[in-house]
Structures are given as C-alpha cells and as structure tokens.
Amino acid sequence: VSPQLQGRGVGESLWYRVIQDYPAVVWRSHVNNRYATWYHRHADIMKRSGEWILFGRGVDFARLEALEDELVSAPAMQ
C-alpha cells in the first residue's frame, strides 16, 4: 500500500478480498519489517526461520513447515 493510502484501511480491505478468494495463504516477513504485528494479527500460525517470520492462514503448522525452504529461499521483493 502506498504511503499516501496507509492508515485509510486500503491494506485491510485488500487483505479481506484476498482471503475471500484464497482461504489458505502463506507468506513471509523479514524480522525487521515494521508491519510484522499486523501480520501476526492476521495469521493463524507463525514460525521464525532465520531472518524471516513465516505466516500462515488456513493451513496447519505441518504445511507451513513443509513450505519453509521455499518461502525462505524466494527472492526478496523490491
């Protein structure tokens, strides 16, 4: 979400649209990401893996762990 739209609920609206279409979602966040608390509130599960925090919603912990290598090795977005 662009800085101009932050704090206006755009990210929250987008999130609810995504989980409506995709009830099972996994993602990662760098441990220094200032939005990690938002991710914690919206995840069912999480796991720390080195410099990453892995999150899941609609998946169990075993599935998140099975995807850990793929999540950790994915290129970072710019």
Side-chain angles (χ1 to χ4, degrees), residues 41-63:
R41 285 195 317 269
H42 291 81
D44 297 329
I45 56 174
M46 59 83 58
K47 177 184 182 182
R48 173 90 184 251
S49 183
E51 65 183 289
W52 300 104
I53 305 170
L54 312 179
F55 296 97
R57 181 180 175 101
V59 297
D60 62 19
F61 196 76
R63 182 69 178 138

Side-chain angles (χ1 to χ4, degrees), residues 2 5-6 24 46 50 72 76:
S2 70
L5 296 176
Q6 290 176 5
M46 59 83 58
V72 169

